[in-house]
Amino acid sequence: APENDDAKGISVLCSVCQQAIYPYHLFYHKKTHKALTLLGYDSSQARVDNETLLAQRQKLISKLNKLPKYSERHRQKIDYSFEFLLNDHTLTSYCDLDNTNSLNTLIKVKNSSIKALSICQDKNSMWQGDMEDRFFVVDNYGNRSDTCFLGLTDGYHGATAAETVAAELPLLFLDQLAQTDSSYRKTKEEQQILDSFATVITEDYKEKEKIFFDRQEKTNKTNTYKWIHKAYAKSFWRMDRLLRLGRNEASKVRWSGCSVVTCLMETLPNENMDGTKERKHSENSMHGSLTRTTKDVAGLLHIANTGNVHAILCKNGKSYRLSKEHSTSSVSERNRILQNGGNISTNEPDGLVEGHLRTTRGLGYHGDPVLKRSVIPVPHSISVPIDDSCQFLILASHGLWEVLDYNAVCALTLSMFTDYLKMYECVQRNGASLHNWQYLMATSEEGSNDSKTTNDLQDGMEMLDSNKEIFLTVSKGNLTQRNCTDQQLLKTTLPVDCNPPTHFEEDTKTYLSNCESQIAGKGRVTSETLYDNAASYISEQLVKTALAAGSRDNITILIVLLNGC
């Protein structure tokens, strides 16, 4: 890594020790926690000296030798952990973020709950040869205004299944919705495509499908939105049935598959606002604060996922995972596979299904009938209301989640958005060119280094819930600030004794240049342009942070800026 590595990114708050860690250090930092835990130390403990490590290793090996069943694998883990902690690991191999091939796409949607929507993708060429992630965004879904359907697919062993699902799953889901709700309408072209599936989805198949779902319905009577969840389940099953045709598959044995996460976003009409409470449904207790509806509810999110791609909602500065992990790390999924005659290998860390796959649910994988017996297309689905306290919705592929947890992604998103607004406000308020913005920021930041400001990122999960320092509103296209005790916006917290994040700021200048051109042409930049640039900036920075943290998979991030931002 270069000497000025500290300037190559922002910091991530470690969920174990609560220290601010640079992305380049994050990979080895996490391995250090795991090694300490395996050797019997507190994972948040500071580095242990070599003599103490050697004594602890000998103690553990002595205990292991006295056991009736000696485990060579456990002995290897002890040795590996000891050797890892003995060496001074500080950085992963360097990833040149200046030469990444990230593709940023900004999509305009008419949904009143969405301020901006941006997708950023990176193949991660250091580890991957092909880009196997795909995404879709359908505005005016089902010819309904203020309704959109979006999602992404994370391909495995090729992009064929991911491409097919991204193209056909929205049609299959719309077909199911239209059978229950007449406000969802299909065009003639869409109906023709659906009719072409009749040779696969025959009447006999529909009868078997009806028997199965009627039986499932008896065990799920508490869900008010069960018809939407049923539509999700049917469309996923039918999509998996279509993938059995093997269209465009290159291999005769190992066909491609994919993990999927989707979101149906609908806006509630004003006359139904007061009746929203009656539509409340019961979900997992961890989402209790999300399912408490009020008269301020503006819309609904209906999320469904299979595999290891996820969706999170940032509400009042706190992160809520709206999806479920379907992999061998889940105890319930492991039990399901083993009880049904499947096998899970002993590969680290959690084993592989039939020695091939870590995900336990998904679409496709039909080339291997033994593997397909365990990998089922049953989605997890949930419906939650959204209001003006909901700030961001993030859908991302496995490339992001394998290096960052949900709380870290939410905190980073809040921090990046606030930092972007800080720099934009500086240019707006002073009417200065971007060549002078660094000087203006240095001047405005004097006196803002109090302990409360520097601790804001650590309290990032709650800062917009109770924090009174930051209160930004957009009025007539201008950004105004009120209720600020020190007239300063939140600063990005960095580790002690480091240089300012110049690379982070250079990226911000790129997006602010769009604002400057708007200012020069129209006098003031519109709030729409501000949100669009902010969404593009955040999605790209999250991709770069995942790359710097050591991600080894394709990365796709879809971020939606909601009214609460």
Side-chain angles (χ1 to χ4, degrees):
E3 293 181 359
N4 63 339
D5 170 67
D6 289 349
K8 285 292 183 180
I10 62 174
S11 60
V12 180
L13 200 66
C14 176
S15 58
V16 178
C17 61
Q18 302 302 314
Q19 292 182 5
I21 308 297
Y22 279 112
Y24 285 106
H25 300 237
L26 193 60
F27 179 77
Y28 282 122
H29 185 80
K30 288 183 176 180
K31 289 192 69 174
T32 300
H33 286 313
K34 291 181 179 179
L36 286 170
T37 302
L38 193 139
L39 290 179
Y41 294 104
D42 185 356
S43 60
S44 60
Q45 184 173 337
R47 186 173 295 277
V48 185
D49 63 88
N50 293 345
E51 292 183 1
T52 306
L53 284 175
L54 180 59
Q56 181 68 6
R57 172 183 174 273
Q58 294 174 344
K59 179 180 178 181
L60 292 175
I61 292 177
S62 298
K63 288 184 177 180
L64 187 63
N65 290 331
K66 295 177 181 179
L67 295 177
K69 292 184 178 180
Y70 178 82
S71 174
E72 185 64 33
R73 179 181 293 273
H74 191 58
R75 167 66 183 268
Q76 289 178 350
K77 289 182 179 180
I78 294 175
D79 290 339
Y80 291 156
S81 299
F82 171 73
E83 292 172 1
F84 176 81
L85 294 173
L86 205 60
N87 298 323
D88 185 20
H89 295 285
T90 54
L91 297 172
T92 61
S93 57
Y94 174 56
C95 176
D96 187 2
L97 299 184
D98 294 323
N99 296 318
T100 58
N101 297 317
S102 300
L103 177 63
N104 209 318
T105 306
L106 190 67
I107 298 180
K108 299 288 186 180
V109 292
K110 298 179 181 179
N111 193 296
S112 60
S113 298
I114 297 177
K115 293 292 187 182
L117 190 154
S118 177
I119 302 101
C120 188
Q121 293 184 293
D122 195 286
K123 182 176 71 173
N124 199 351
S125 56
M126 179 177 289
W127 298 100
Q128 300 293 329
D130 299 301
M131 183 62 180
E132 298 179 345
D133 293 352
R134 298 294 186 268
F135 68 88
F136 56 87
V137 177
V138 185
D139 196 18
N140 292 323
Y141 188 60
N143 289 315
R144 285 172 40 129
S145 60
D146 259 13
T147 299
C148 64
F149 187 54
L150 46 95
L152 60 87
T153 58
D154 188 342
Y156 174 79
H157 203 262
T160 302
E163 287 183 352
T164 305
V165 171
E168 298 177 358
L169 182 61
L171 293 178
L172 294 171
F173 186 48
L174 176 60
D175 183 42
Q176 295 299 318
L177 293 176
Q179 295 178 21
T180 305
D181 189 343
S182 60
S183 64
Y184 287 95
R185 297 186 299 274
K186 296 167 286 188
T187 63
K188 291 183 179 179
E189 293 78 9
E190 292 171 336
Q191 187 60 54
Q192 289 176 355
I193 296 175
L194 290 169
D195 291 340
S196 68
F197 298 153
T199 55
V200 179
I201 305 174
T202 61
E203 292 300 325
D204 291 341
Y205 176 83
K206 292 180 180 178
E207 284 298 322
K208 295 179 181 178
E209 186 182 66
K210 183 175 184 299
I211 294 173
F212 173 77
F213 282 102
D214 286 346
R215 184 171 67 248
Q216 293 295 106
E217 188 173 337
K218 295 178 181 179
T219 63
N220 188 13
K221 297 182 179 181
T222 60
N223 191 347
T224 304
Y225 304 112
K226 63 183 178 183
W227 68 276
I228 292 182
H229 297 185
K230 187 176 180 179
Y232 262 133
K234 278 192 174 182
S235 59
F236 272 63
W237 275 94
R238 291 190 176 187
M239 186 71 254
D240 192 67
R241 178 66 181 85
L242 292 173
L243 291 175
R244 286 176 58 183
L245 298 176
R247 292 170 291 173
N248 302 320
E249 290 289 354
S251 172
K252 295 182 179 180
V253 180
R254 295 287 304 282
W255 289 1
S256 62
C258 63
S259 297
V260 186
V261 60
T262 63
C263 174
L264 175 66
M265 181 179 294
E266 58 178 353
T267 301
L268 297 179
N270 292 330
E271 58 270 17
N272 289 343
M273 293 294 187
D274 295 335
T276 307
K277 189 174 182 179
E278 298 177 2
R279 301 177 62 184
K280 182 174 69 173
H281 76 283
S282 174
E283 289 285 355
N284 193 303
S285 60
M286 69 177 292
H287 301 290
S289 59
L290 288 175
T291 56
R292 287 195 294 269
T293 58
T294 66
K295 65 179 181 181
D296 298 324
V297 168
L300 290 167
L301 300 179
H302 306 286
I303 307 287
N305 86 292
T306 59
N308 54 8
V309 291
H310 295 289
I312 65 169
L313 177 67
C314 184
K315 176 183 171 71
N316 280 329
K318 298 182 180 180
S319 63
Y320 296 89
R321 189 179 73 175
L322 305 181
S323 51
K324 187 176 181 180
E325 175 75 7
H326 298 133
S327 70
T328 52
S329 62
S330 170
V331 176
S332 60
E333 287 295 290
R334 292 176 65 90
N335 291 338
R336 176 184 63 80
I337 292 173
L338 296 175
Q339 289 172 3
N340 286 277
N343 294 311
I344 298 177
S345 69
T346 57
N347 299 67
E348 296 293 340
D350 301 302
L352 302 174
V353 180
E354 303 298 339
H356 294 297
L357 192 64
R358 189 167 184 268
T359 55
T360 57
R361 299 194 188 192
L363 301 178
Y365 309 103
H366 289 287
D368 188 342
V370 177
L371 177 65
K372 186 57 187 175
R373 183 178 58 188
S374 299
V375 182
I376 59 177
V378 181
H380 166 267
S381 56
I382 183 175
S383 299
V384 296
I386 56 174
D387 52 29
D388 288 341
S389 65
C390 297
Q391 299 153 313
F392 308 99
L393 174 68
I394 300 174
L395 279 62
S397 61
H398 179 247
L400 176 68
W401 307 118
E402 72 172 342
V403 292
L404 297 174
D405 62 23
Y406 316 106
N407 291 335
V409 171
C410 181
L412 283 171
T413 303
L414 289 167
S415 178
M416 291 171 182
F417 184 62
T418 307
D419 194 82
Y420 182 89
L421 293 181
K422 177 176 64 174
M423 299 176 190
Y424 164 76
E425 171 69 6
C426 182
V427 175
Q428 281 282 85
R429 184 176 61 246
N430 295 277
S433 68
L434 292 173
H435 298 288
N436 299 326
W437 79 270
Q438 284 180 310
Y439 168 77
L440 293 170
M441 288 306 300
T443 304
S444 65
E445 288 172 359
E446 292 179 359
S448 64
N449 294 324
D450 58 290
S451 59
K452 187 178 191 312
T453 303
T454 57
N455 288 332
D456 272 345
L457 183 60
Q458 187 172 354
D459 299 331
M461 294 301 97
E462 299 179 357
M463 67 178 182
L464 295 186
D465 188 23
S466 58
N467 180 26
K468 296 183 179 180
E469 290 186 4
I470 304 170
F471 204 117
L472 298 174
T473 58
V474 176
S475 176
K476 299 181 181 180
N478 300 330
L479 202 63
T480 61
Q481 184 177 349
R482 54 195 174 99
N483 293 349
C484 289
T485 59
D486 56 0
Q487 296 297 311
Q488 297 297 327
L489 291 174
L490 176 67
K491 293 177 61 181
T492 303
T493 302
L494 298 175
V496 182
D497 300 329
C498 71
N499 299 322
T502 55
H503 183 275
F504 183 56
E505 294 171 349
E506 285 294 330
D507 289 332
T508 312
K509 290 168 65 177
T510 302
Y511 291 93
L512 285 173
S513 62
N514 296 329
C515 294
E516 184 181 30
S517 62
Q518 294 285 339
I519 294 173
K522 300 181 181 179
R524 299 300 260 177
V525 65
T526 63
S527 60
E528 181 180 358
T529 303
L530 167 67
Y531 288 121
D532 288 345
N533 291 336
S536 298
Y537 170 69
I538 294 171
S539 61
E540 183 170 335
Q541 288 303 313
L542 285 175
V543 167
K544 289 186 176 183
T545 302
L547 290 172
S551 175
R552 300 188 179 187
D553 203 351
N554 299 146
I555 304 172
T556 299
I557 297 175
L558 188 156
I559 182 168
V560 180
L561 269 60
L562 302 173
N563 289 332
C565 70

